Every structure is written in structure tokens, then in C-alpha cells.
Amino acid sequence: MMNLSTMIAYGYRHCTPPIKQLLNYTTFLHLHHHHHHLQGRPLSFNSLNLPNLNLLLTGNCLFFRMQRFWIGNGINKNKQMVEHLQRYGVISSIKVAEVMETIDRALFVPDGASAYADSPMAIGYNATISAPHMHATCLQLLEQNLQPGMHALDVGSGTGYLTACFAIMVGPQGRAVGVEHIPELVASSIKNIEKSAAAPLLKEGSLSVHAGDGRQGWPECAPYDAIHVGAAAPEIPQALLDQLKPGGRMVIPVGNMFQDLKVVDKNMDGSISIRSETSVRYVPLTSRDAQLRGY
Ligand code: SAH
């Protein structure tokens, strides 16, 4: 059995400011026994009985009551999810609310999963789709750098959900690029996007997803106004700093066991300013071999 410090929840705000605490609950997932049958399940109570998972969780009881309320009343709709995030102060931006309403999260989670629960979810290959409140937080931090015509890079694009949101925000004159190192996830993310409101952008070429090591960025469409990294880096990759435009912003979880969501601004003179937004838990930004070890 693992001790508390070695347990982890992916794509989560780990500690939150008081105003957002209603959404702050923490799921702990054993790192090395990520079983296939967990795929598509929210990492929550119902995973507890599964053998060998060594799952342990603490929770904000109010949250779980709210979640049961949602499911119990069948209001598990994308719009309600967004309204919920607005009501609890996670989303304050109209633009971010609009894009999250436009891109239906259900198209990006495994079939049968409770798409609208505010929880990260296993998507296979030791990867997860981040919780809606983390997607909202990152979109909001990047909003000024996702204006029409701008260039955005999504490293570790996973399901393609955020890449699709970026593409909608930067529009047909902009460029949204996803880079993901698991080819199967690249393929499924493209299928997801094709079913979504971002499909025309994919077809017309302002949105693309590529298989590759995201630590190298994607030089072809650089420099970027916005870079999002969906996996935790031990340190900020130099290639990503290089591909950030002056005036550009990168949002990246940094750390190993303990991670901070860093907001990295490249100033007009090329200097870099970094601040920590919040504590989070993400899957590691690593090599494909390291990620798939034991999977
Ligand atoms: N934002 C995504 C997060 C997926 S989890 C979503 O919500 O769907 C993080 C993703 O980063 C995983 O899909 C994992 O495969 C990918 N990843 C990890 N290291 C990587 C690397 N070096 N290059 C590209 N992708 C990487």
C-alpha cells in the first residue's frame, strides 16, 4: 500500500484558493497499475472496489453530493457543466464559457463515461483527460493569447479537447496545433474532433494534431502566442520557451510528485517572467517508453 505522499491524481487542481474549494476534491491513483478496465471511468468512488488498483481517495463530500445530484437528476449535460463551473467561480470569462459550451466534452471521453463530472478520467496508455475545472482554468489563463488569428500549441494533447477549444478561439485565420506522443491517441483525438464543432477547422487546416515528442514543440507553426502543456514537466523545456512569441504565454505544470501550474510570460524584450498559479497533479511529460512502462 502506498503512503499518502506517493498517491496522485491527474489533471487536478491539488490545492485551491478558498473561493474554488467546492470543486476541490482529490482522487489518488496508484501510478503503476493503471488497468485497462479503468478506462472511461471517472477516477472516483466506484473504482475503489477494483482489485490491485490501490486507489484511495479523500473527497469534498459536498462535491460528491453535488455529483450524485447531477447524475440522479439526469442533468449531465455539457451546458450545465459549464454553468456549474461559472456558479462556483471557476469560469469568469464569457469567452471561455462559450467555447466550453461549443465543444461538447462527451465527444472526447471514452464511451459510457460520465462526461460531465468534474473529474479527470483515464483514457488509456497511462493518460487522462483533465478535469473540466483544469481545462477551464487553463483556457482562462490563456484567453488573451487565444484571440482570433493567433497561434496556439497544445503539448500532450491527449483527447484533443483543449486543442479543439483553442482552434475555436483562434478561429480559421489562426492556428491550433496539438502534439501527442501516443499515435493511437492522436488517431482517436482526430476522430473526436471530427465529431465536434471544431471539425471544419480541422478540415480547412487551421487545426492539426501530430504524433511527436511535445518536449520539442512544433517548430513548423512557431512562434506561438499560447502554449499549453497538458503533462507535468520536470523543468520547462527550452524548445517550448524558444517557440513562444514575445508577448506570448505558456501554461505548464512543472514538478514531479509536487507540481505547480506555472504561468510563463515572454516579455516583449524576450525576457521571461514565471509565476505559480496553483498546485496540480498531472501525468508526467516524459518519453513514450517511460509512460507505457507497466501499462
Ligand atoms: N489535455 C489533455 C491531457 C492528456 S494527459 C486532455 O485533457 O485530454 C497528458 C498527455 O500528455 C497524455 O496523452 C500523454 O500521452 C501526453 N504526453 C506525455 N509526455 C509527452 C511527450 N513527451 N510528448 C507528447 N505528449 C506527451
Side-chain angles (χ1 to χ4, degrees):
M1 194 58 197
M2 306 180 83
N3 66 35
L4 270 176
S5 66
T6 59
M7 292 168 177
I8 199 161
Y10 295 136
Y12 259 61
R13 191 181 279 274
H14 189 56
C15 299
T16 61
I19 189 170
K20 292 169 183 172
Q21 273 187 356
L22 280 174
L23 287 159
N24 178 20
Y25 63 104
T26 308
T27 308
F28 295 111
L29 169 65
H30 190 292
L31 255 178
H32 305 292
H33 294 277
H34 209 147
H35 287 230
H36 292 72
H37 56 250
L38 191 62
Q39 192 169 329
R41 287 170 181 264
L43 306 177
S44 68
F45 283 153
N46 48 11
S47 307
L48 259 180
N49 308 332
L50 298 171
N52 292 329
L53 280 172
N54 285 342
L55 284 169
L56 179 79
L57 31 96
T58 61
N60 178 317
C61 291
L62 178 58
F63 174 82
F64 283 110
R65 280 203 299 274
M66 290 190 306
Q67 191 183 35
R68 275 198 295 273
F69 171 82
W70 279 354
I71 292 163
N73 285 277
I75 25 175
N76 52 347
K77 296 266 159 53
N78 196 62
K79 193 169 162 62
Q80 265 97 14
M81 176 193 82
V82 174
E83 285 168 359
H84 175 87
L85 293 168
Q86 288 177 298
R87 200 167 320 126
Y88 289 96
V90 178
I91 300 178
S92 54
S93 150
I94 299 287
K95 277 243 164 65
V96 168
E98 278 173 4
V99 74
M100 289 184 70
E101 280 179 25
T102 303
I103 299 296
D104 185 355
R105 189 178 169 84
L107 301 172
F108 293 82
V109 303
D111 284 347
S114 39
Y116 307 112
D118 195 18
S119 168
M121 231 168 260
I123 57 171
Y125 311 97
N126 286 337
T128 61
I129 179 169
S130 296
H133 71 266
M134 278 318 306
H135 283 151
T137 298
C138 293
L139 284 168
Q140 226 160 247
L141 287 169
L142 290 168
E143 180 179 359
Q144 298 310 316
N145 297 74
L146 292 169
Q147 290 175 43
M150 289 185 165
H151 284 209
L153 174 65
D154 187 18
V155 171
S157 48
T159 59
Y161 175 85
L162 268 186
T163 325
C165 290
F166 291 169
I168 297 281
M169 289 177 83
V170 300
Q173 308 304 323
R175 198 72 179 74
V177 179
V179 181
E180 164 60 51
H181 68 169
I182 306 289
E184 291 89 341
L185 288 178
V186 173
S188 55
S189 71
I190 288 171
K191 285 203 183 108
N192 299 338
I193 292 166
E194 279 168 348
K195 290 181 215 145
S196 80
L201 300 167
L202 182 71
K203 200 158 171 247
E204 287 152 26
S206 67
L207 163 55
S208 58
V209 186
H210 309 271
D213 187 342
R215 293 172 293 189
Q216 303 306 316
W218 194 257
E220 214 177 291
C221 302
Y224 297 97
D225 301 277
I227 298 180
H228 169 265
V229 183
E235 55 196 35
I236 301 171
Q238 185 61 43
L240 298 184
L241 284 172
D242 293 344
Q243 289 171 35
L244 197 59
K245 193 182 279 184
R249 170 174 280 193
M250 167 159 47
V251 172
I252 176 169
V254 179
N256 297 299
M257 272 324 288
F258 298 96
Q259 306 162 3
D260 279 325
L261 190 66
K262 301 275 188 192
V263 177
V264 181
D265 287 310
K266 188 178 266 190
N267 305 310
M268 294 315 287
D269 65 2
S271 62
I272 298 287
S273 308
I274 305 179
R275 68 176 173 83
S276 288
E277 169 73 12
T278 182
S279 295
V280 290
R281 287 298 166 93
Y282 277 73
V283 299
L285 185 73
T286 184
S287 69
R288 190 166 45 211
D289 282 354
Q291 182 174 323
L292 295 177
R293 211 161 283 151
Y295 177 68

